[in-house]
Every structure is written in C-alpha cells, then in structure tokens.
Amino acid sequence: MARFELNDANHGALGESPAGADTFYELGMMYSSGRSVPIDYVSAHKWFNLAAMSGHKDAARLRREIAAEMTDAEIGAAQRAARDWMKRRESVAPMRVAA
C-alpha cells in the first residue's frame, strides 16, 4: 500500500519546488479519488484545507464536498492533522513576513 505524504516541509514530494497550494490540491485529489493511493477522506480534507489556506480557488469547495461524506470525528481528525502539519512546517522553516 503506497502512502504519499510531504515529509519535507520545504519541498513537495511531487518535485523539488516548494510545497504550495497546487501541490496540496493535487494531494487532496489523489486521496479523494484514490488515484495512486487508497481513498482516504481524512487525508483528502487535510490537503484540501492546506490548499485553501494557501489560496487555491477550488480547494475550499472540494473540502466542503468531502466533509459532507465524513463524520464529525473524521473532520476533527483532518483539521488536527492540517494544524499539526502547519506547526511542523513552521518549526522547520518559519514563514517570513514581508516588511
């Protein structure tokens, strides 16, 4: 069973470019459709959430659609996973704020 995650907070496993909205969106699509990985709505929700927070236009809509198929506990787990991912990212590479 293949599991695709972004272990390096600075670079996406889909390439060497910095992880961002499009990478997160693609991960959400993979997990929501079962493309190359087993369907996992918790992971899909997490990645769509991160994509939406990063500015992807369609990610929030797809996150809502996935949430309609999930229990409250699953949605909570996905939200915690997204927060945990952001915390790990910030501890590895703090985001810079433009002056």
Side-chain angles (χ1 to χ4, degrees), residues 34-86:
R35 184 180 44 177
S36 302
V37 296
I39 291 175
D40 180 345
Y41 289 150
V42 172
S43 293
H45 189 285
K46 168 185 136 179
W47 292 117
F48 285 140
N49 195 16
L50 292 167
M53 290 188 309
S54 299
H56 197 283
K57 295 177 184 178
D58 294 325
R61 177 182 54 83
L62 291 173
R63 180 185 60 206
R64 281 191 304 275
E65 289 179 15
I66 295 271
E69 304 297 321
M70 299 169 67
T71 66
D72 289 343
E74 289 171 326
I75 293 168
Q79 291 171 336
R80 282 188 300 279
R83 279 193 303 270
D84 291 345
W85 192 91
M86 290 299 293

Side-chain angles (χ1 to χ4, degrees), residues 4-31 35 43-44 46-48 50-52 54 56 59 85 89:
F4 185 71
E5 290 288 337
L6 290 177
N7 293 320
D8 181 347
N10 294 320
H11 293 87
L14 296 175
E16 288 301 316
S17 61
D22 290 336
T23 302
F24 302 148
Y25 180 81
E26 282 303 313
L27 285 164
M29 291 300 295
M30 287 174 61
Y31 280 109
R35 184 180 44 177
S43 293
K46 168 185 136 179
W47 292 117
F48 285 140
L50 292 167
S54 299
H56 197 283
W85 192 91
R89 179 180 182 176

